[in-house]
Every structure is written in structure tokens, then in C-alpha cells.
Amino acid sequence: MLYLHLSALSICFAVALYYRKALNGDLKPIFWLLILSVITEAIGAYYLLMGERVVNNKIFHIYQPLEYIALALFFINVVENHKFKQIIRISIPIVTLAHILNSVYFQNLNQPPSNGFLLTSFFVCIWSMLFYYSILTIETEKKIWRNSNFIMGTGILFFYAGAFFVMGLIQIVSQYDIALGKRLFNINHVLNILMYSLFTYGIICKAKYPQ
């Protein structure tokens, strides 16, 4: 399942590179997120195959705050309400600081930063809801299934809402059955495949049906 996940990411990144010029507007943070994800996942997969889980954990401690910043910038671009934009902007330093504190005091660099992931997922789901509210309150002539921002937002919501509950469940289950917890992580790979598939479609829509 990991290989399918990495394949979906690779295809998405290749499509993003091909349509690079179309991603200079609202989707620019997504492009930078894909670059960050490709680098992180490649390094992480290598060390995972080598059995170096500790190194892998350290990489994701660095990745997660950068991931949140990229996602927050995307929602700042696509949410229309000025107050909502300000709230998301204010959240960036707060969430970044929370990630740092988690790495220093709660889950050190040798441990998986699951608390940080849950924190990011929680806020990203809220911003996704604000984005959907913006979509519903603004008239648009573009068909919703060709709206790249909507497609990207949907992919983000599916992944982070699903992963929020899955990662929470894994944390609980792993306390009693580590092997089962590892098997449950395959659900996370499925969610990643879904998100990157929607990202790929959204990028193509952005290029073919510019807003």
C-alpha cells in the first residue's frame, strides 16, 4: 500500500510540474506542499526500508509545521471572507509554536509526532469548513466539478478528517496490539492515495478550465 501511496504522489507531482504555470495563483502553496511531500516521503521511505525509524520520525517533526503553513496559505488564498483569512493567518505562528513545544516537551524527535499531526488535522478540517462556507455563499458560473479550488479542498478534507480519526485510533490500539496498529496505518495510505488523486484532477482542471 505504501508503494501505491508513493506512486499517487509521484504522478501528482509530475502533473504539477507539467502544468507548473497554471499553479501560480491560488494553488501555489499546494505546489510547494507537493515538493515538500516528495522530498519528505522519499527520505522517509528510504530510512523506513533501512529500518531507521528514529531518523524517519525526526524528518516528520520538521515536515509537519511546514505542511501546516502551506495548507494555511492555501486556505488564505481561497477563503473569501476577510475575517476568516485573518483567523487563519493568526493560527500559523500559534500552530507552529505548538508543533515545536510538542517536539521539545511531549514527543521528542525520536518518537512519531502524532500529536502534531492531530493538531494540524483539527485546524485544517476547520479551515476546510470555512472554505465550503465561502463556496456556498458566492455565486459562480463554473461547474463545481471543474473548480480546482473546490477539488483541492475536498481532497484535503477527505484526507485530514479521515486521518484524524485513524491516527487517534492507531494511538489507542497500538497500546494493546502494536501489530494491529501497524495494519490500521494502511487506511492512512488509502486516504493519501485519494487526496493525491483529487489533487491531480484539480491541477488538470486548473490548467484546462482557468478561473
Side-chain angles (χ1 to χ4, degrees), residues 7 58 83 87 107 110 141 146 186 192-194:
S7 296
K58 291 178 180 178
K83 290 182 179 179
I87 293 171
Q107 293 178 317
N110 296 325
E141 296 180 358
R146 291 182 178 178
N186 284 325
N192 268 293
I193 293 168
L194 175 60

Side-chain angles (χ1 to χ4, degrees), residues 126-149:
I126 293 175
W127 308 150
S128 297
M129 293 295 100
L130 295 182
F131 169 63
Y132 278 120
Y133 175 81
S134 296
I135 288 286
L136 292 173
T137 55
I138 295 176
E139 295 183 6
T140 177
E141 296 180 358
K142 177 175 284 191
K143 295 178 180 179
I144 201 71
W145 59 86
R146 291 182 178 178
N147 186 315
S148 58
N149 292 342

